[in-house]
Amino acid sequence: MSPTITPISDFYKIILLEKYKLLYTEWLRAVSSEEYRAALLEAYKCIRLHQLELWVMDSTRNNPTVQDQKWSVEKLGSLMAGTLIRKVAMVRADDLFVEVVAEVMRDKIYKLYGQERQLEHFRTLEEALQYVLPGEDPAKLVIELQNAEAYTGYPAD
């Protein structure tokens, strides 16, 4: 008997705000490497399918392992190079260690892929939204995200 695979929606939320060309993702709990990679590949597929330009990821509930960080930089980074993404904002835990890890990952991404795509990290969702959509009211955007339906239209492989 094969193991049961947990649906991504049980640990990872994906919301599209297409009028802003924005993807919002949120970890709902700490995850395994398999779950981490599957979720980020779903986000990539969504970005590619909907030709999105902005991505806000809330990582406050999940801290990837060193191996997952390396995978993110190398594998996901190379995939993202073929998309329209121009700004990525990560909301991280308010923790000095997590801040240092985010800085190291950003520096590696810039070294490998250049700075055509901007990547920053923030302590709050409002700061992240202000970064990716500077002309919009972040409080209004938070309400839009709260009222939006989670994305369930995952395309088949």
Side-chain angles (χ1 to χ4, degrees):
M1 181 186 290
S2 62
T4 303
I5 297 174
T6 304
I8 287 175
S9 61
D10 288 352
F11 58 86
Y12 193 64
K13 182 190 304 184
I14 296 178
I15 294 175
L16 286 172
L17 293 183
E18 290 193 80
K19 70 181 177 180
Y20 301 109
K21 297 188 178 284
L22 173 72
L23 177 71
Y24 171 77
T25 60
E26 179 182 354
W27 297 104
L28 303 176
R29 62 170 169 79
V31 297
S32 68
S33 287
E34 180 180 273
E35 292 169 329
Y36 177 82
R37 295 173 188 200
L40 289 182
L41 288 173
E42 286 298 335
Y44 160 73
K45 289 177 191 175
C46 186
I47 288 166
R48 189 186 69 213
L49 180 69
H50 295 278
Q51 299 181 8
L52 302 174
E53 298 176 9
L54 308 169
W55 184 7
V56 173
M57 64 176 83
D58 185 333
S59 297
T60 54
R61 290 192 187 104
N62 184 59
N63 291 318
T65 66
V66 171
Q67 294 84 7
D68 288 338
Q69 292 168 30
K70 185 175 193 260
W71 179 89
S72 295
V73 169
E74 295 173 1
K75 176 68 173 172
L76 188 64
S78 69
L79 290 172
M80 293 305 248
T83 70
L84 299 176
I85 281 290
R86 39 185 193 86
K87 281 186 175 181
V88 178
M90 181 181 80
V91 182
R92 58 170 173 74
D94 189 9
D95 176 286
L96 185 56
F97 176 74
V98 174
E99 182 176 350
V100 170
V101 168
E103 292 284 336
V104 168
M105 285 182 69
R106 182 185 63 195
D107 292 347
K108 285 180 184 177
I109 289 169
Y110 284 169
K111 184 177 180 183
L112 287 171
Y113 306 107
Q115 294 188 21
E116 182 179 318
R117 288 164 181 79
Q118 296 296 301
L119 172 64
E120 293 295 336
H121 55 91
F122 302 90
R123 290 186 179 126
T124 69
L125 177 57
E126 290 81 2
E127 291 171 332
L129 290 166
Q130 183 66 48
Y131 169 72
V132 296
L133 289 165
E136 300 293 330
D137 177 0
K140 177 183 160 249
L141 292 169
V142 168
I143 292 168
E144 284 188 58
L145 288 171
Q146 290 170 342
N147 292 329
E149 292 288 323
Y151 180 75
T152 57
Y154 301 121
D157 287 334

